[in-house]
Amino acid sequence: MVQIAAAAADSKGGEEFVALDVSEPLPLADAFLLVTGGSERNVAAIADEVEDQLLQAGHKRLRREGRKESRWVLLDFGDLIVHVFHEEERNYYGLERLWKDCPVIAIDLPTKTNSD
């Protein structure tokens, strides 16, 4: 799920990917995926693509919050909770600091090439 969500976010220009294994301290979810978008429009596009790709892969969304403002969109898929942040919100809330003791999950994104 993390790989599907990260690839979807990457395809819409998501940046600063961090995936955390939160299964130990948080029994309601296995992982968080944190992604940054550069604008409200970008945050919305990333969240929409992540949701679409996870739904197509057969995962059920339990909850979505923040889509109207698109400053911090939370997508709850049960085992995976995706946080798509605007840069300012990501810095302000600092979820990486709150969950710093959780193991990091490797994310394998395709390498992008420049075609000049």
Side-chain angles (χ1 to χ4, degrees), residues 21-30 32 98-99 101-103:
D21 179 343
V22 296
S23 60
E24 185 70 30
L26 191 65
L28 301 175
D30 290 337
F32 279 179
L98 292 173
W99 299 96
D101 294 333
C102 294

Side-chain angles (χ1 to χ4, degrees), residues 2 18-34 78-81 83 95-96 98-105:
V2 169
V18 175
L20 301 171
D21 179 343
V22 296
S23 60
E24 185 70 30
L26 191 65
L28 301 175
D30 290 337
F32 279 179
L33 175 62
L34 312 177
D79 292 337
L80 172 64
I81 299 175
H83 300 269
L95 291 189
E96 291 96 330
L98 292 173
W99 299 96
K100 68 181 179 209
D101 294 333
C102 294
V104 174
I105 299 169

Side-chain angles (χ1 to χ4, degrees), residues 8-115:
D10 186 53
S11 76
K12 294 297 181 182
E15 299 177 342
E16 300 178 33
F17 294 86
V18 175
L20 301 171
D21 179 343
V22 296
S23 60
E24 185 70 30
L26 191 65
L28 301 175
D30 290 337
F32 279 179
L33 175 62
L34 312 177
V35 182
T36 300
S39 67
E40 287 89 351
R41 177 175 274 181
N42 187 220
V43 168
I46 293 167
D48 290 348
E49 185 67 14
V50 167
E51 185 172 4
D52 290 346
Q53 293 300 316
L54 285 172
L55 289 171
Q56 284 182 20
H59 303 287
K60 182 180 177 184
R61 186 192 81 220
L62 303 177
R63 185 173 53 149
R64 176 179 60 191
E65 295 181 12
R67 176 61 176 83
K68 185 175 179 183
E69 298 83 14
S70 294
R71 300 288 297 179
W72 176 3
V73 179
L74 181 143
L75 301 170
D76 182 352
F77 280 85
D79 292 337
L80 172 64
I81 299 175
V82 181
H83 300 269
V84 185
F85 291 99
H86 188 281
E87 290 176 68
E88 294 168 7
E89 274 66 16
R90 181 147 180 191
N91 291 332
Y92 180 78
Y93 290 104
L95 291 189
E96 291 96 330
R97 289 187 307 274
L98 292 173
W99 299 96
K100 68 181 179 209
D101 294 333
C102 294
V104 174
I105 299 169
I107 299 172
D108 185 27
L109 294 175
T111 306
K112 294 181 182 178
T113 59
N114 287 335
S115 53

